[in-house]
Amino acid sequence: MRSPSLCPLHCYSSSSILAIVIAVFGGTLVTIASCADVAHSSDVQTGDTWRDLSAEIQEEINRYEPEFIGADRGIIGRAEVGTTALTNNYPINLNINQGDTNYWVFTNASVLGNHSATPSGLPSPVLRREGNIEGIFEDDEGHDLEHSGELATGLKKRQDLGLRTVYVSLTACLQPQSNDTRSANSPPPQLELYYSTSPNNPRPGPGGTISQQTQVQVVEGYASFNVSVSAGDIFIGVHAPTNSQYIGSYNYDIAASIDSYFHSLNSSAPNLLFIDSDNSHALLITDNLTELAPSDPIYKKWVNINPLPFSLFAHNMNDSSIKGLTNSYCGLANHAQIAGYHSDGQRSTNVDMNITTRGLANKPKQQFFLKGLNGSSTYYGFLAMFGNSTAGGASVVGGGGKVWQMMNFTTKADGNCQVLFNLTFCSEVAYAVPANPSTFPDINKLTQFYDNNTLSLYQNFTNSLAQIACNTTSSAQYSLVKTCDDCAAAYKEWLCAVTIPRCDDFSSDKAFLQPRNVAQKFLNNTQLDKGLLQDGQTMLQRAYANSSRFLAIDSVVQPGPYKEVLPCADLCYTLVQSCPASLQFQCPDLARGGNFSYGQRSDDGSITCSFLGAAYYLSNAPPISPPITWILLAVLAISLGLGV
């Protein structure tokens, strides 16, 4: 049976016509396999066929004896029969049958060859967040730039010793499939990677002399190693283990470089944040891409960057086909159910991508809006990068792509919450809101309904604020630390949060959620069962459960029963603190009924109350504790037609 072929995005051959390109690099004859010759669907078998083809070529190579003045055989180097030479930053893609071993060599001439040109990169190093630490910079290999001095010192020491560092990486693109129900949900064994720098062991692999070789563990389809040498060949073996519970062959990319890893993995942090979902969509963002001010040229470059630097893959956790490949860019590109990436040969399936400055201190970040998801499902999410973000493929340093640590998110079950974002007035709103596909089949009209109603209420507030002497002497101002601009900003944030409620499933049992609109029918025309209604009779008599906070939602949108993630209490405290006392803004006592109107932030990164710019599992600042005088104030006295 012919093994699967693979010539999609991860194949980076500069030629799809030649079967074998024979090239001389600094006096060394090497073979570079193209995608066409190792994985052509109609012509090439795997395993023995490749070795037969390689043997024929090597026989021709053996007849070639280049003569270079001052260069002996040891400097020129030559791959022996059955071994394929790798060249700097040129990946090779190959099928391998179970039980077979492929042999590779990075020759002395390549080790001592010229470095590739440094490609243009991102406007600035990528930021990442780990735990409570925000704003760690990393380079293209995931190293902390805080420790770049240590890295530079190590590099200088190797240079002073006359050493060259060689980076080797492998990514599995395809793997055998289960033919046994016992292994249906488990991945096949991982490929095995070996290397040797000993001329006495030019074929490292299973059964090789342990003292003369090193095995590198392949994890979820990815492995890498680096070795520093002064000269000499580096020998590599890739072995495909045999398991009778799986049929078919493996397919992988392998590359060597004296510049950096051609394929890379950041397994320390996902750099991908979940915003919210409904029953068929999800909204995610990267962390901030820079912390610089909007006036800085680098900030502007991030905002206007083209093409977009990142890709995203998502896969339903109930589907096991992706297991064993989650650290591999080409594995994700071949198997992920949801994918969006850019550049040559791009594929975009149900993913809208753009740069946004919404949320997280209003810094640039890349946004992903996923469509076509299943309701009540948990998905794996992977941030990835095609090539090195600005270029990809053969001869490009880091051209094989990068994958970040896997994260997960869950879609909602009910159909009466819908993710909204990119509002005109409440531009920081980005979460699911009460919805009804029957009354608002057009998402744009639902967006306008919420945004326009909030804007009209805000205009009433501006009329009141206009009566305050804002532009006066400091002695006559209402506060020495707050201005009317602060008041207007705090009011807008509070107003958007309370008039555009964050929606969750009525079926959810999260303790911090508040039931709303319980008297209405569900979208399927059913109502709460009698037992629940009997126990909840008091809910029907109380506005906080029997209706929405903003009454127009029930009469116009008609979402049916849902649960609300209550606005954070600190939004109200900030409003009172920022505005003149003459406006008579007050906050409720959470111990005396205020807990039906406002929630409190969590310390663990989960969203237990609604605030603009919220993202799940983001380390928030400690919850704001209000002064005791605010706690004693009565219910917020703002008559705007808002329920509590």
mmCIF file of all heavy atoms in Angstrom, residues 265-281:
data_model
loop_
_atom_site.group_PDB
_atom_site.id
_atom_site.type_symbol
_atom_site.label_atom_id
_atom_site.label_comp_id
_atom_site.label_asym_id
_atom_site.label_seq_id
_atom_site.Cartn_x
_atom_site.Cartn_y
_atom_site.Cartn_z
ATOM 1 N N LEU A 265 9.358 25.551 18.944
ATOM 2 C CA LEU A 265 8.245 25.304 19.865
ATOM 3 C C LEU A 265 8.473 26.104 21.131
ATOM 4 O O LEU A 265 9.574 26.125 21.673
ATOM 5 C CB LEU A 265 8.168 23.808 20.201
ATOM 6 C CG LEU A 265 7.233 23.406 21.353
ATOM 7 C CD1 LEU A 265 5.773 23.571 20.936
ATOM 8 C CD2 LEU A 265 7.510 21.975 21.799
ATOM 9 N N ASN A 266 7.418 26.783 21.593
ATOM 10 C CA ASN A 266 7.434 27.423 22.903
ATOM 11 C C ASN A 266 6.460 26.660 23.788
ATOM 12 O O ASN A 266 5.245 26.810 23.655
ATOM 13 C CB ASN A 266 7.021 28.897 22.804
ATOM 14 C CG ASN A 266 7.103 29.606 24.150
ATOM 15 O OD1 ASN A 266 7.011 28.985 25.201
ATOM 16 N ND2 ASN A 266 7.255 30.910 24.116
ATOM 17 N N SER A 267 6.991 25.819 24.651
ATOM 18 C CA SER A 267 6.144 24.973 25.489
ATOM 19 C C SER A 267 5.900 25.565 26.865
ATOM 20 O O SER A 267 5.303 24.912 27.721
ATOM 21 C CB SER A 267 6.794 23.587 25.637
ATOM 22 O OG SER A 267 8.089 23.706 26.217
ATOM 23 N N SER A 268 6.343 26.805 27.097
ATOM 24 C CA SER A 268 6.235 27.388 28.438
ATOM 25 C C SER A 268 4.984 28.224 28.638
ATOM 26 O O SER A 268 4.549 28.432 29.764
ATOM 27 C CB SER A 268 7.475 28.241 28.726
ATOM 28 O OG SER A 268 7.560 29.319 27.811
ATOM 29 N N ALA A 269 4.390 28.747 27.562
ATOM 30 C CA ALA A 269 3.217 29.618 27.698
ATOM 31 C C ALA A 269 2.435 29.621 26.391
ATOM 32 O O ALA A 269 3.020 29.599 25.308
ATOM 33 C CB ALA A 269 3.628 31.042 28.065
ATOM 34 N N PRO A 270 1.090 29.649 26.457
ATOM 35 C CA PRO A 270 0.292 29.620 25.228
ATOM 36 C C PRO A 270 0.262 30.942 24.477
ATOM 37 O O PRO A 270 0.043 30.960 23.272
ATOM 38 C CB PRO A 270 -1.108 29.244 25.720
ATOM 39 C CG PRO A 270 -1.138 29.688 27.141
ATOM 40 C CD PRO A 270 0.253 29.518 27.667
ATOM 41 N N ASN A 271 0.443 32.066 25.190
ATOM 42 C CA ASN A 271 0.370 33.409 24.577
ATOM 43 C C ASN A 271 -0.950 33.629 23.846
ATOM 44 O O ASN A 271 -1.029 34.417 22.916
ATOM 45 C CB ASN A 271 1.544 33.631 23.610
ATOM 46 C CG ASN A 271 1.827 35.105 23.368
ATOM 47 O OD1 ASN A 271 1.586 35.935 24.234
ATOM 48 N ND2 ASN A 271 2.319 35.434 22.190
ATOM 49 N N LEU A 272 -1.983 32.919 24.259
ATOM 50 C CA LEU A 272 -3.299 33.003 23.629
ATOM 51 C C LEU A 272 -4.343 33.059 24.736
ATOM 52 O O LEU A 272 -4.354 32.201 25.632
ATOM 53 C CB LEU A 272 -3.528 31.780 22.734
ATOM 54 C CG LEU A 272 -4.785 31.767 21.866
ATOM 55 C CD1 LEU A 272 -4.758 32.897 20.844
ATOM 56 C CD2 LEU A 272 -4.906 30.423 21.133
ATOM 57 N N LEU A 273 -5.212 34.074 24.685
ATOM 58 C CA LEU A 273 -6.191 34.307 25.743
ATOM 59 C C LEU A 273 -7.613 34.151 25.208
ATOM 60 O O LEU A 273 -7.931 34.650 24.125
ATOM 61 C CB LEU A 273 -6.013 35.709 26.328
ATOM 62 C CG LEU A 273 -4.622 36.020 26.899
ATOM 63 C CD1 LEU A 273 -4.517 37.503 27.250
ATOM 64 C CD2 LEU A 273 -4.329 35.160 28.111
ATOM 65 N N PHE A 274 -8.430 33.484 25.976
ATOM 66 C CA PHE A 274 -9.836 33.265 25.628
ATOM 67 C C PHE A 274 -10.667 34.435 26.142
ATOM 68 O O PHE A 274 -10.622 34.788 27.314
ATOM 69 C CB PHE A 274 -10.306 31.956 26.249
ATOM 70 C CG PHE A 274 -11.772 31.667 26.072
ATOM 71 C CD1 PHE A 274 -12.357 31.699 24.818
ATOM 72 C CD2 PHE A 274 -12.565 31.355 27.167
ATOM 73 C CE1 PHE A 274 -13.706 31.426 24.654
ATOM 74 C CE2 PHE A 274 -13.910 31.074 27.016
ATOM 75 C CZ PHE A 274 -14.487 31.113 25.762
ATOM 76 N N ILE A 275 -11.438 35.057 25.243
ATOM 77 C CA ILE A 275 -12.301 36.177 25.622
ATOM 78 C C ILE A 275 -13.699 35.686 25.985
ATOM 79 O O ILE A 275 -14.154 35.865 27.110
ATOM 80 C CB ILE A 275 -12.383 37.217 24.481
ATOM 81 C CG1 ILE A 275 -10.983 37.735 24.150
ATOM 82 C CG2 ILE A 275 -13.287 38.368 24.868
ATOM 83 C CD1 ILE A 275 -10.280 38.416 25.282
ATOM 84 N N ASP A 276 -14.396 35.062 25.041
ATOM 85 C CA ASP A 276 -15.730 34.526 25.324
ATOM 86 C C ASP A 276 -16.187 33.709 24.129
ATOM 87 O O ASP A 276 -15.543 33.690 23.064
ATOM 88 C CB ASP A 276 -16.726 35.652 25.615
ATOM 89 C CG ASP A 276 -17.874 35.188 26.511
ATOM 90 O OD1 ASP A 276 -17.948 33.970 26.818
ATOM 91 O OD2 ASP A 276 -18.707 36.034 26.901
ATOM 92 N N SER A 277 -17.346 33.048 24.297
ATOM 93 C CA SER A 277 -17.899 32.218 23.235
ATOM 94 C C SER A 277 -19.415 32.246 23.287
ATOM 95 O O SER A 277 -20.014 32.688 24.270
ATOM 96 C CB SER A 277 -17.410 30.765 23.380
ATOM 97 O OG SER A 277 -18.013 30.154 24.510
ATOM 98 N N ASP A 278 -20.041 31.792 22.210
ATOM 99 C CA ASP A 278 -21.454 31.429 22.247
ATOM 100 C C ASP A 278 -21.511 29.968 21.820
ATOM 101 O O ASP A 278 -20.542 29.236 21.999
ATOM 102 C CB ASP A 278 -22.309 32.363 21.386
ATOM 103 C CG ASP A 278 -21.786 32.523 19.966
ATOM 104 O OD1 ASP A 278 -21.372 31.513 19.376
ATOM 105 O OD2 ASP A 278 -21.811 33.652 19.432
ATOM 106 N N ASN A 279 -22.641 29.526 21.262
ATOM 107 C CA ASN A 279 -22.731 28.099 20.946
ATOM 108 C C ASN A 279 -22.138 27.721 19.590
ATOM 109 O O ASN A 279 -22.152 26.556 19.217
ATOM 110 C CB ASN A 279 -24.184 27.618 21.033
ATOM 111 C CG ASN A 279 -25.059 28.223 19.940
ATOM 112 O OD1 ASN A 279 -24.736 29.286 19.392
ATOM 113 N ND2 ASN A 279 -26.161 27.569 19.626
ATOM 114 N N SER A 280 -21.584 28.698 18.850
ATOM 115 C CA SER A 280 -20.943 28.362 17.575
ATOM 116 C C SER A 280 -19.748 29.250 17.247
ATOM 117 O O SER A 280 -19.119 29.077 16.203
ATOM 118 C CB SER A 280 -21.956 28.460 16.425
ATOM 119 O OG SER A 280 -22.488 29.774 16.310
ATOM 120 N N HIS A 281 -19.409 30.203 18.131
ATOM 121 C CA HIS A 281 -18.290 31.106 17.894
ATOM 122 C C HIS A 281 -17.432 31.223 19.146
ATOM 123 O O HIS A 281 -17.897 30.960 20.259
ATOM 124 C CB HIS A 281 -18.777 32.514 17.511
ATOM 125 C CG HIS A 281 -19.728 32.562 16.368
ATOM 126 N ND1 HIS A 281 -21.099 32.449 16.533
ATOM 127 C CD2 HIS A 281 -19.525 32.711 15.036
ATOM 128 C CE1 HIS A 281 -21.694 32.532 15.349
ATOM 129 N NE2 HIS A 281 -20.761 32.683 14.421
#
